Amino acid sequence: MIPLSLNEIAAVVGGTGAGGTIVGGTGAGDGEVTVTAPAVLDSRRAEPGGLFAAFAGEHTDGHDYAAQAGRAGAVAVLGSRPTPLPTVVVDDARAALQALAAHVVARLRTGLTVIALTGSQGKTSTKDLLAAVVSSTGPTVATAGSLNNELGVPLTMLRADPATRFLVLEMGARRVGDIAGLTGLVAPDIAVVLNVGQAHLGEFGSRAAIARTKGELVRGLAPGGTAVLNADDPRVVAMRPLTDGPVLTFGRAEHADVRALGLALDRLGRPSFTLRTADASAPVALPHIGAHQALNASAAVAAGLAAGVPLDAATAALAAASLSKWRMEPRDLTGGALLLNDAYNANPDSTRAALDALAAIEGRRRIAVLGEMLELGAVGEAEHRAVGAYAASRADVVAAVGKGAGPIADGAGERAVTLADNGAAVDWLRGQLAAGDVVLVKASRGARLDEVADALEWGEGEGDRVRVQRPRRLI
């Protein structure tokens, strides 16, 4: 975050204080309070000198936590009503946060390369790999976890400072126009589109609508910016005419500019392969599980090349890259079983990729613990059945957790076990797992199967903490 006084912030966002008077706080001089640390939404994560962005939600009002943010170090608040801290009061806190982020990045634009990426699945893992690639060359700020929406993107932008050379932004969407809104805050120099799948199909209504939305990232490129497109996905390749700038492709297709060749998996399902460009090649051995990570890695390297990172530096960085939590996280369990915690989110395509990874790992018995895949709309039941049938071809046992996962059990047939809720899943697994077993845990975030994974990892007694509740949608 670049240092900004509250008077400066108020002038940018059009809030109370544009004339020098800030609402709340101790009185005279509050407008000269300077914010020097990033903005946060969680009062517990405030840093000394930071800004607390307060939102009045359906169940929680962030303004009530301003004092807590102050105790953690925040010096000011951006919100829609006064708080105990010096507060810039605005009518629309979200719009104000976005305006502030756009202002900060605009001031830093010289010498800063902005890379944005989107896709129906693999966004966060690819973002993590890409952040590792470009940080090998210069200071990098990247999206934390999956904070890829209308609040997460500006929060990431506000973490940039004059030393930042690369800003890596993951961009998600739930409706047509969402990504266009994000590129309206900052036009990327490099736009990466991974794939067009079925995630949020119920929200969009069709894959064509999903493709149009992902294409908004290419349309939103800065003049002369580079589009990095998946050569293996026809819907992504079809986005080439959306830009007049350079296009770089990646994938396993023969015509890909950055091509993955010779893919092989070790006994833990970790991929090794060669990345070849027009004039060079380099070997890659990833520490992450799943053949699908080879495509993510080739996307990251292609974007890195567009940003000026040499191929050898990019591939070397991949070997040390770490992924965000709950993305095929391997954990050795007491008793000798192996847990694959992939519980952050799920859709039919990502679930099949996870099942392929499960099948590739050497083990005594492979158990797929699957929960509901949300937001699939009218095709939801059919897609759950299809995933169940696919799971039966990849796992020895398919455990369907929760009522919404019932069609998975139907599709899996005689290999299926039906479990009522997360607590039942923990109890059943504790009675089943033995040395050499490999267990995959995957569902949409609302199913909270991470609780099942945590209970297995941390041993007896942790099952008491598993909360059984209806799936909920996160922002």
Side-chain angles (χ1 to χ4, degrees):
M1 178 77 174
I2 62 175
L4 291 170
S5 73
L6 287 202
N7 282 331
E8 291 175 296
I9 292 174
V12 169
V13 304
T16 302
T21 302
I22 304 299
V23 177
T26 59
D30 285 339
E32 299 306 316
V33 169
T34 299
V35 173
T36 57
V40 297
L41 301 182
D42 187 337
S43 60
R44 298 165 297 181
R45 297 182 179 275
E47 300 178 22
L51 178 69
F52 177 53
F55 291 85
E58 183 178 353
H59 302 293
T60 303
D61 188 342
H63 299 81
D64 296 337
Y65 297 88
Q68 183 182 55
R71 290 191 293 272
V75 295
V77 173
L78 176 64
S80 55
R81 64 176 172 84
T83 75
L85 293 180
T87 305
V88 176
V89 178
V90 294
D91 292 331
D92 186 337
R94 182 179 73 176
L97 185 70
Q98 292 175 343
L100 182 61
H103 171 78
V104 166
V105 172
R107 284 184 51 176
L108 298 172
R109 209 62 164 102
T110 302
L112 177 68
T113 298
V114 179
I115 311 173
L117 73 159
T118 193
S120 294
Q121 57 269 344
K123 292 187 295 296
T124 300
S125 294
T126 304
K127 175 266 302 178
D128 293 335
L129 296 173
L130 175 55
V133 166
V134 294
S135 64
S136 69
T137 301
T140 299
V141 169
T143 301
S146 295
L147 295 176
N148 59 24
N149 64 6
E150 68 276 8
L151 298 180
V153 170
L155 288 174
T156 304
M157 293 167 63
L158 287 170
R159 288 167 43 213
D161 62 29
T164 305
R165 181 172 173 188
F166 299 103
L167 178 61
V168 179
L169 300 171
E170 179 182 332
M171 293 187 176
R174 290 187 180 275
R175 61 191 64 83
V176 174
D178 280 356
I179 292 177
L182 297 176
T183 60
L185 304 180
V186 55
D189 301 295
I190 300 168
V192 185
V193 183
L194 297 174
N195 41 54
V196 176
Q198 299 178 82
H200 309 306
L201 185 60
E203 302 284 336
F204 286 100
S206 68
R207 275 203 175 185
I210 295 173
R212 286 198 301 273
T213 304
K214 302 307 180 187
E216 291 169 8
L217 185 61
V218 180
R219 291 184 183 275
L221 274 164
T226 301
V228 179
L229 305 178
N230 182 356
D232 300 341
D233 189 326
R235 291 182 176 88
V236 176
V237 174
M239 297 175 190
R240 182 185 288 266
L242 299 181
T243 178
D244 294 330
V247 174
L248 193 64
T249 60
F250 63 90
R252 301 180 71 178
E254 185 174 352
H255 61 275
D257 296 311
V258 179
R259 187 182 181 195
L261 298 169
L263 178 64
L265 303 176
D266 67 10
R267 59 180 296 274
L268 291 178
R270 296 172 299 196
S272 60
F273 51 96
T274 297
L275 283 180
R276 179 177 297 171
T277 66
D279 52 9
S281 64
V284 179
L286 293 177
H288 314 299
I289 294 172
H292 59 286
Q293 296 294 359
L295 183 70
N296 295 340
S298 63
V301 169
L305 293 174
V309 181
L311 179 63
D312 56 352
T315 54
L318 294 174
S322 59
L323 302 183
S324 298
K325 66 178 183 178
W326 305 341
R327 273 82 174 181
M328 294 300 288
E329 283 185 346
R331 293 289 185 267
D332 291 320
L333 301 179
T334 302
L338 175 65
L339 167 69
L340 302 178
N341 184 351
D342 199 38
Y344 188 82
N345 217 335
N347 60 62
D349 296 321
S350 68
T351 301
R352 288 186 177 89
L355 289 165
D356 287 343
L358 172 65
I361 297 176
E362 295 180 9
R364 185 182 75 91
R365 186 174 53 155
R366 298 174 183 87
I367 302 172
V369 180
L370 304 177
E372 186 176 6
M373 300 175 293
L374 300 174
E375 298 180 351
L376 292 177
V379 303
E381 183 173 351
E383 288 295 341
H384 280 81
R385 286 179 182 272
V387 161
Y390 193 81
S393 73
R394 291 291 185 265
D396 300 296
V397 182
V398 180
V401 183
K403 182 178 180 180
I408 293 177
D410 295 339
E414 63 183 16
R415 294 202 174 191
V417 173
T418 301
L419 301 168
D421 52 43
N422 290 356
V426 172
D427 292 339
W428 181 81
L429 286 163
R430 283 179 173 164
Q432 289 288 319
L433 292 179
D437 287 347
V438 184
V439 56
L440 167 70
V441 177
K442 187 167 182 66
S444 282
R445 183 72 190 98
R448 301 189 69 89
L449 286 198
D450 57 285
E451 296 175 343
V452 174
D454 284 347
L456 294 176
E457 182 178 356
W458 296 109
E460 292 293 336
E462 292 295 321
D464 296 338
R465 302 184 190 178
V466 174
R467 300 185 299 278
V468 179
Q469 61 180 32
R470 293 183 181 275
R472 60 187 178 90
R473 180 189 296 177
L474 299 184
I475 292 175

